[in-house]
Amino acid sequence: GVAICVERRDFREKVREQRVGASILFVVDGSRSMEARRRMAFAKGAVLSILEEAYCKRDQAGMVVFQDGEARVSLDFTRSVELAKKRLEELPVRGNTPLAQGLRVAYRYLRKEWMRNPDMLPVVVLLTDGKANDAVSEDPFQEAVRAAKMIKEAQIPAVVIDTETGFVRMRFAQEIADAMGASCVSLERLMPEKIGKMVHRIL
């Protein structure tokens, strides 16, 4: 019986929304193989493509490369296209495939960044054919599977890009993806500029 009836649905609250971009960590097999240069070229193209859109989406990208008995952070997280070009320009391909070590370095790096910035949205993009041949244990592949499970247990979203080529394929990359709780996509079906959209679908 009043002139104005105020109900619960009429109340509004002003909320300031902060956009948080994805922190996309490429984990790249840099070992010497038939498809190595193509794989590295794809990874570099994908990183630069994401960074070119980073201003709007607030994304950042970094890269871990594993090869020749070691794994290292070749590019710390950045939004700078120029810095990325400089760091990625002369990444060589060489040696064997320490896949487990690459995944462990990626896991530790993301954990450190996550502690520094709890709001970050981490994503792992692994480029490999899954053919691990260097490890601390006697079975390099099983060691890689165990390292992949660490990423799954940490609930880090991931995608595996299978770089295996040829008529007969072993599908090792698919097994690594299963251990990571990740989807697996063939490199032959992708263009570097499509990676950003795929990552945001995963998130």
Side-chain angles (χ1 to χ4, degrees), residues 133-143 146:
N133 57 21
D134 185 359
V136 176
S137 67
E138 294 181 0
D139 190 333
F141 181 74
Q142 289 305 317
E143 189 173 324
R146 288 194 293 272

Side-chain angles (χ1 to χ4, degrees), residues 31-56:
S31 61
R32 187 177 296 280
S33 62
M34 290 181 65
E35 67 271 8
R37 294 191 183 281
R38 179 168 169 250
R39 180 172 56 224
M40 191 65 77
F42 179 91
K44 292 177 184 178
V47 169
L48 296 177
S49 176
I50 284 170
L51 291 178
E52 284 166 0
E53 299 180 15
Y55 180 78
C56 296

Side-chain angles (χ1 to χ4, degrees), residues 61-169:
M63 184 182 290
V64 168
V65 175
F66 56 94
Q67 59 185 182
D68 202 21
E70 65 173 3
R72 65 191 184 283
V73 179
S74 298
L75 177 68
D76 282 303
F77 280 132
T78 182
R79 293 191 177 96
S80 169
V81 177
E82 291 306 315
L83 176 62
K85 282 181 178 178
K86 184 178 178 181
R87 293 285 176 85
L88 302 178
E89 197 168 31
E90 295 183 354
L91 275 178
V93 290
R94 64 184 184 216
N96 49 17
T97 313
L99 176 53
Q101 194 170 347
L103 291 171
R104 285 195 294 265
V105 168
Y107 171 80
R108 288 195 294 266
Y109 180 67
L110 283 174
R111 286 292 296 259
K112 182 183 73 173
E113 292 296 312
W114 217 342
M115 288 177 67
R116 192 158 59 184
N117 179 14
D119 291 329
M120 74 179 285
L121 298 175
V123 186
V124 168
V125 179
L126 172 64
L127 282 87
T128 184
D129 57 11
K131 297 173 184 175
N133 57 21
D134 185 359
V136 176
S137 67
E138 294 181 0
D139 190 333
F141 181 74
Q142 289 305 317
E143 189 173 324
V145 167
R146 288 194 293 272
K149 287 179 179 178
M150 290 169 56
I151 292 174
K152 180 181 180 180
E153 288 166 3
Q155 298 182 336
I156 299 172
V159 61
V160 176
I161 299 176
D162 186 359
T163 63
E164 188 175 29
T165 58
F167 183 72
V168 179
R169 305 193 182 189

Side-chain angles (χ1 to χ4, degrees), residues 6 25 38 49 122 131 165 170 175 179 201:
V6 180
L25 185 63
R38 179 168 169 250
S49 176
K131 297 173 184 175
T165 58
M170 305 302 293
E175 292 187 51
R201 281 201 300 271

